[in-house]
Amino acid sequence: MAMRMGMSVGSTTDASSLSDQVKRYKLREFKETDAGDYQQPPKGGPERPPNPAHEALTDKCIKVVVDNFAERPVHEAVPAKHMREITARLPVDMDPTVTAVYVFDENYWKRCCIERFGWQNCQIVEHGLTWKQLFFETYLQERLEGHEAEAGDDLTDLLECVTACQDYIFTLTIRELRSHLDIEQVCQLLPNLTKLDMTYGIKKCGMEYVRMMFGMKISDANCLARCFTSAPNLTTVVLSSNLIDDDLLRMLMTGLIKNDSITHLDMSHNKITNHGVRLLSKLLGAQSVLTSLNLSDNQIHAEGGRYLGRGLRTNDTLIDLNLRLNRLTDDGGRMLLEGLRQNNTLMRLNLSSNSLGSETTGALMSVFQEPDTPLCTVDMSCNNMNSIDVISLHSSLENNRALTSIDLRMNPEVGTDADEALDSIHDIVHANELDVRN
């Protein structure tokens, strides 16, 4: 191969090779004294804005899309990598009715949740493990709680908001519904609603307390009853602390009795008496789908225990029954547990703080001695059991293999002579728990 001017050349031409051209290339160095458009800014001084001519066309398009997203949102025609860049630049204060339809990036919804609600309120595990569901369930809660009812009030804006986010509302929680609006209109627009947790009242009224501000009204009960019949996917209803009495419950039952999807019903901290329990016992009939019933802290007496015991005899769906903080007395507890002897499904029973004594203990012993009893968790704390009751209860548990938890605390009449029986009960329950786990 010939050599010319110190460079290699091809066998048929005198042109320099590509490797030589690369070696001869040198980067141009700019100096502060060079004449021209460019001048290096002094150290520590303000930087000159970037030249728009140097900006890529895709960046310009993304900027235009972001600036006009509220009026002209796009999604389908944009490639995924560019859509991620667009959503990363979108402001979090945009109208949710727009972003609900066109934004699906979880990173965007995470930013919205953190900046709007704060870290302490972002319990994503309670909202299907998705940030978008968390945002819209919390956003709708705030809209409903902040809604003020007025004469001739137009719900168009509120219902448009519900319609926009309807695909992402599975749990509707309302801690204070001041407006007493027709909740049926809202629930009709939520096809995926599975849990409804409502409290009628106000959180902070200060010195402006008015009795009518708290509790459910007849009109509210009527709206909820219609809602129960038109919500095919509703499985959990929580109406705690609504001052529900027997008259309001009678109105609610017109919808509950026609519903075949509600499996969890929470009526705790209300004013339900024996007449209300008689109505609720109809939900334990042959067509029952109820698996959990919470009636704690009501005004249920002995007669209410008889109604529940009668319903439990034929019920084959209820798993959890909570009657804590009622007034069953020893007679009511006995009648309730007598009906439980023929029940093959109830696994958890809470009878704490009901003034139960020896008669109830005897009926409970009969339940424990049933060979096929599924009862595994019992709470008998804060009652009137004595040492003899505890010792008798221990003898009935010697052959029981189902019970894995029993609470006998805070029975003031239980003395030190029952300590050995209590220890033995604890050992039996612990051994049953280990057998279940293995």
Side-chain angles (χ1 to χ4, degrees), residues 27 43 51 80 102 132 135 207 247 284 324 364 398:
L27 293 174
K43 294 183 179 180
N51 191 340
Y102 295 98
K132 192 171 185 178
F135 177 84
M207 299 299 294
D247 293 331
L284 303 177
R324 180 177 61 92
L364 184 61
E398 292 180 350

Side-chain angles (χ1 to χ4, degrees), residues 237-415:
V237 175
V238 181
L239 298 175
S240 178
S241 304
N242 280 296
L243 299 178
I244 298 175
D245 56 16
D246 295 339
D247 293 331
L248 290 172
L249 182 59
R250 186 176 293 107
M251 180 67 69
L252 292 172
M253 283 296 299
T254 59
L256 288 172
I257 202 69
K258 299 177 182 178
N259 183 283
D260 58 358
S261 63
I262 297 176
T263 59
H264 293 70
L265 181 61
D266 188 344
M267 293 279 189
S268 59
H269 309 293
N270 284 297
K271 300 169 63 177
I272 300 173
T273 67
N274 297 333
H275 300 291
V277 173
R278 186 175 184 178
L279 294 172
L280 285 172
S281 63
K282 297 179 181 180
L283 298 178
L284 303 177
Q287 305 298 323
S288 173
V289 296
L290 206 61
T291 61
S292 176
L293 178 61
N294 188 349
L295 295 175
S296 62
D297 191 19
N298 277 280
Q299 300 174 10
I300 304 173
H301 293 259
E303 197 68 13
R306 182 167 70 89
Y307 294 137
L308 287 173
R310 184 185 302 171
L312 288 172
R313 284 191 179 94
T314 57
N315 180 267
D316 58 357
T317 60
L318 196 65
I319 297 176
D320 190 343
L321 177 61
N322 191 341
L323 295 172
R324 180 177 61 92
L325 291 171
N326 276 285
R327 302 162 179 80
L328 288 178
T329 68
D330 204 15
D331 192 30
R334 175 185 58 80
M335 291 188 287
L336 171 67
L337 291 171
E338 285 177 352
L340 193 59
R341 291 184 59 182
Q342 304 176 22
N343 184 281
N344 295 320
T345 58
L346 192 68
M347 301 178 64
R348 294 180 291 275
L349 178 63
N350 191 333
L351 296 176
S352 174
S353 304
N354 274 281
S355 302
L356 308 180
S358 300
E359 293 186 13
T360 303
T361 303
L364 184 61
M365 290 168 56
S366 300
V367 174
F368 285 151
Q369 290 173 345
E370 291 291 328
D372 298 328
T373 178
L375 195 61
C376 62
T377 303
V378 178
D379 190 344
M380 294 287 290
S381 61
C382 303
N383 282 298
N384 298 328
M385 298 175 63
N386 55 37
S387 299
I388 298 177
D389 296 333
V390 174
I391 295 173
S392 302
L393 198 62
H394 167 247
S395 63
S396 67
L397 289 173
E398 292 180 350
N399 297 321
N400 185 285
R401 296 294 177 267
L403 190 66
T404 59
S405 175
I406 185 169
D407 192 346
L408 300 174
R409 297 173 297 169
M410 301 299 293
N411 282 279
E413 298 182 18
V414 177

Side-chain angles (χ1 to χ4, degrees), residues 190-210:
L190 302 176
N192 299 325
L193 185 65
T194 59
K195 180 179 179 180
L196 180 63
D197 185 352
M198 294 189 60
T199 301
Y200 291 90
I202 183 172
K203 289 181 180 178
K204 300 177 181 179
C205 62
M207 299 299 294
E208 300 177 359
Y209 170 80
V210 179

Side-chain angles (χ1 to χ4, degrees), residues 144-145 147 149 172-187 196-204 209-228 237-244 248 251-252 267-270:
L144 292 174
E145 291 180 351
H147 180 71
L172 182 57
T173 303
I174 306 175
R175 295 304 179 199
E176 53 172 352
L177 190 61
R178 308 183 185 187
S179 61
H180 292 270
L181 58 84
D182 187 355
I183 197 65
E184 183 194 11
Q185 296 186 43
V186 176
C187 293
L196 180 63
D197 185 352
M198 294 189 60
T199 301
Y200 291 90
I202 183 172
K203 289 181 180 178
K204 300 177 181 179
Y209 170 80
V210 179
R211 167 61 182 82
M212 296 301 295
M213 297 167 60
F214 297 88
M216 184 184 297
K217 301 178 181 178
I218 290 291
S219 58
D220 300 326
N222 188 27
C223 293
L224 280 172
R226 296 198 307 268
C227 174
F228 296 153
V237 175
V238 181
L239 298 175
S240 178
S241 304
N242 280 296
L243 299 178
I244 298 175
L248 290 172
M251 180 67 69
L252 292 172
M267 293 279 189
S268 59
H269 309 293
N270 284 297

